[in-house]
Amino acid sequence: MAISYNERERVFRLDTPRTTYLIGLADEAGFPAHIYYGRRIPDDDMRYLLDAPDTPYGSSREQVSFLGRLPSEYPGSGRGDFREPCLRAETAEGYGACCLTYVSHRIFGGKPPLEGLPATYGGAEDCATLELVCRDEDMGLEAHLYYTAFERLDAVCRSAKLVNVGAGPLRLTQALSACLDMDGQDMDVITLHGRWASERMIQRRPLAWGKQGAGSQRGISSHEANPFIALAEHTATQSRGMVYAMNFVYSGNFLAQAEMGQEGRVRLIMGIHPAGFGWRLAPGEAFQTPEAVLVCSDAGLGGMSRTFHDLYRQHLVRGPYKDKPRPSLVNNWEATYFDFDTEKLLAIARVAAEAGVEMLVMDDGWFGRRDSDTCSLGDWTVNERKLPGGLPYLVGEVNKLGMKFGIWMEPEMVSPDSELYRAHPDYALQIPGRAPALSRGQLVLDMSRREVRDHVYEQIRRVLSSANIEYVKWDMNRPLTDAASPALGPDRQGELAHRYMLGVYELQERLLRDFPHILLENCSAGGGRFDPGMLYYSPQIWTSDNTEAIDRLKIQEGTALVYPLSSMGAHVAACPSHTNGRVTPFATRGLVSLPGCFGYELDLTKLSDGERAMIPGQLADYKNYGWVFRTGDYYRLASYGENGTHDALMAVSKDRRVAVLDYVQVLSRRTERTLLLHPEGLDEGRYYRRLDTGDIRSGAGWMYGGVPMPRLEGDFAGCLVVLEAADH
Ligand code: GLA
């Protein structure tokens, strides 16, 4: 069992293959305190790291600074710890101090699910869980702190359940998921920032006094910030150095923050953003926070990425496509926008089928009177003017071509110009008496309400049952504003944003339950909800509306820092790019899309003969090598974001017999010497044949000598280099 309790030391230890996490009960009172997290150590007696005074808390005249200095596992507020708390709560009278002390604990194999929330999962053979029960007696508030340590992965997953065990009502105003109080200030803070069409840009800056981090109050995890934060040693690289990371298994408002304060420690926290949050707890009621995943790597950022990838592929993603190849697809959005009909779609499908593409996805515009983005969201009935014979005919014809069929929907939205809104204006999020703010001309449905979800679901169910639909792109194209629900009552408006997320999760769960064969791809105006919460429901997510290959390099690098390549929707799009006007070779666009869930986002009927002829080769690469990216170990060999000239990523199969290196020369290197890239993760003693040249060398030779890149002509060129075990 990866978790144990040393009664003499009053210390809990959580071990993963290369890390140890120690929690101590400080003072006689039993404050849950953080002792150690880092490289694996055999010792339990590390309490000196608490740096706590000898005077018992009960008889101390300095109780405030005692708590102010104590490294805490789940800090309360108002009693002396003035750093960002995990927990703030109020009594019915509005009194707010709270501080937790130990009550009991339980250690068991496996991991319980979090009701209504996405979360990592695992059986007793995969992981063990500590449930640490603490309480503030005076307030009547109990916290169940859950820690799951994985047996084969250096990850610890945390969440908290807060229970009102008193006689009166309580109100939570801050209920975060995890806190890590650490020593060490010579660190960098790494976060993923961005905007629409430029999601998950890596930002690395020195840790400084005060608070730094990322957060979203948009009701979605957002394009602007991703629920990820890491502290890395200044000297940490892709392959060396200590990194501590947190990622939030949630898709709504969040706060991820590093705080350096006077006590000389760093506090890393993760949880639901406290701004506007409030949750009423009647006696006996409980609130479950979403889960935060903690990863500690002593093998640099690459080690961190590979742990996240393995954890999410094995213990977060579910369903039949978890370990299966994802179908290559063609999506008509950038091919036709709203201007299509059955014939146009079938013309694209015929070219696609001939080239070997496996699925046609019909994007926005097939329902209601939707010929532009001004109407019809909420009216999920087929527009028979565009699609005579409806879905049965279209899907039947696509299936006859040997292709699967997928469909776009935006279930969380309503257009003011729609049958749904005319019939039920109250279904939209709004403050009574105040016109809700439009975004993309649309409003958000109140997903906290059961009857709204039931109405939407009934429409989805009818569409999906009407034909052989095997894929759904679930879109969500605007942030939440006017986030109020008259149905909740005046003292519960602070619950709306979280209840909204719970509603969305419940709806997606229903869809998966009733249509278990469907491949779901989440999307939010591109990558506005690219987070682990969504990955629990959909094994892949649309990475960005920016489909231009060179911009995509940075977006995909930032995404892959945390999320597995198997989760990234990546399509070859038209040129000049609809996003930025850049012209890049068709082959390079293929190389950039190859490591993700591959597809085309253009009108295949308009390609030149030469381009069309390249499709079978690209699909063959996807078939032959896509699985290495999807299931293997990811190594970032060169970052265009850092060097401005070239990009290279590599995946090595788990049995280390195949390695695929995807290289893009962004700017010509004609006058420079041959570029050597140094692979990682090969077997030093095994021999590998480089397929394009036939050269055979040991893994050590390739890794330490380097793999020379071919001399490519011009800007935006690229190639795939495959190394295969020579004893094949
Ligand atoms: C969003 C998605 C796009 C496309 C459009 C359709 O922007 O990210 O891929 O589906 O909506 O309106």
Side-chain angles (χ1 to χ4, degrees), residues 333 363-364 408 440 473 475 477 523 525-526 542 545:
W333 178 239
D363 211 280
D364 192 356
W408 177 97
R440 208 194 192 199
K473 177 175 171 187
D475 208 343
N477 275 313
C523 170
W542 184 225
D545 277 348

Side-chain angles (χ1 to χ4, degrees), residues 491-504:
D491 54 347
R492 287 191 177 271
Q493 293 304 319
E495 301 178 12
L496 192 267
H498 182 58
R499 286 191 184 278
Y500 178 91
M501 270 330 307
L502 293 176
V504 171

Side-chain angles (χ1 to χ4, degrees), residues 589-669:
R589 282 176 264 156
L591 284 173
V592 175
S593 303
L594 177 66
C597 300
F598 188 82
Y600 294 90
E601 184 103 6
L602 41 69
D603 190 342
L604 293 172
T605 65
K606 293 190 178 139
L607 290 180
S608 70
D609 291 346
E611 287 174 332
R612 205 180 298 176
M614 283 188 220
I615 296 179
Q618 291 179 335
L619 293 172
D621 282 346
Y622 184 53
K623 192 158 185 251
N624 295 333
Y625 305 118
W627 66 272
V628 184
F629 291 112
R630 219 173 34 247
T631 62
D633 291 332
Y634 163 78
Y635 294 92
R636 165 66 41 189
L637 303 192
S639 161
Y640 163 55
E642 283 172 19
N643 62 38
T645 59
H646 62 280
D647 194 89
L649 60 99
M650 180 168 202
V652 182
S653 64
K654 286 286 181 189
D655 65 4
R656 303 211 209 176
R657 295 184 68 84
V658 190
V660 191
L661 196 164
D662 196 343
Y663 171 67
V664 174
Q665 169 178 293
V666 177
L667 295 179
S668 164
R669 305 177 49 87

Side-chain angles (χ1 to χ4, degrees), residues 363-545:
D363 211 280
D364 192 356
W366 56 266
F367 51 92
R369 293 176 294 102
R370 184 114 164 145
D371 291 322
S372 70
D373 62 11
T374 55
C375 71
S376 298
L377 293 170
D379 299 342
W380 302 107
T381 44
V382 174
N383 179 341
E384 295 248 358
R385 179 178 52 79
K386 280 177 164 172
L387 308 179
L391 288 173
Y393 175 72
L394 172 61
V395 179
E397 290 301 299
V398 171
N399 286 166
K400 274 190 216 156
L401 293 169
M403 293 175 81
K404 295 176 189 296
F405 181 86
I407 199 166
W408 177 97
M409 291 187 124
E410 198 177 357
E412 298 162 62
M413 295 293 152
V414 63
S415 304
D417 180 7
S418 67
E419 300 304 323
L420 176 62
Y421 191 72
R422 279 185 281 276
H424 298 284
D426 62 302
Y427 277 13
L429 287 179
Q430 61 198 288
I431 295 166
R434 170 168 209 149
L438 292 169
S439 176
R440 208 194 192 199
Q442 63 199 53
L443 299 172
V444 185
L445 288 172
D446 184 352
M447 286 292 158
S448 73
R449 285 171 62 185
R450 177 89 202 188
E451 63 273 36
V452 176
R453 296 201 299 277
D454 286 349
H455 176 92
V456 171
Y457 186 71
E458 184 46 30
Q459 298 208 48
I460 297 178
R461 198 195 55 74
R462 242 185 284 140
V463 170
L464 298 184
S465 313
S466 71
N468 182 24
I469 296 171
E470 298 180 72
Y471 161 107
V472 171
K473 177 175 171 187
W474 179 303
D475 208 343
M476 196 284 186
N477 275 313
R478 61 155 289 177
L480 270 53
T481 59
D482 306 278
S485 177
L488 277 176
D491 54 347
R492 287 191 177 271
Q493 293 304 319
E495 301 178 12
L496 192 267
H498 182 58
R499 286 191 184 278
Y500 178 91
M501 270 330 307
L502 293 176
V504 171
Y505 291 146
E506 191 265 335
L507 212 44
Q508 296 207 351
E509 192 67 43
R510 257 199 256 185
L511 190 156
L512 297 180
R513 185 198 58 207
D514 294 350
F515 302 93
H517 66 286
I518 278 185
L519 171 59
L520 190 61
E521 176 159 342
N522 267 290
C523 170
S524 178
R529 246 181 358 193
F530 206 118
D531 55 60
M534 287 283 116
L535 280 183
Y536 185 65
Y537 303 92
S538 66
Q540 58 195 61
I541 302 175
W542 184 225
T543 310
S544 176
D545 277 348

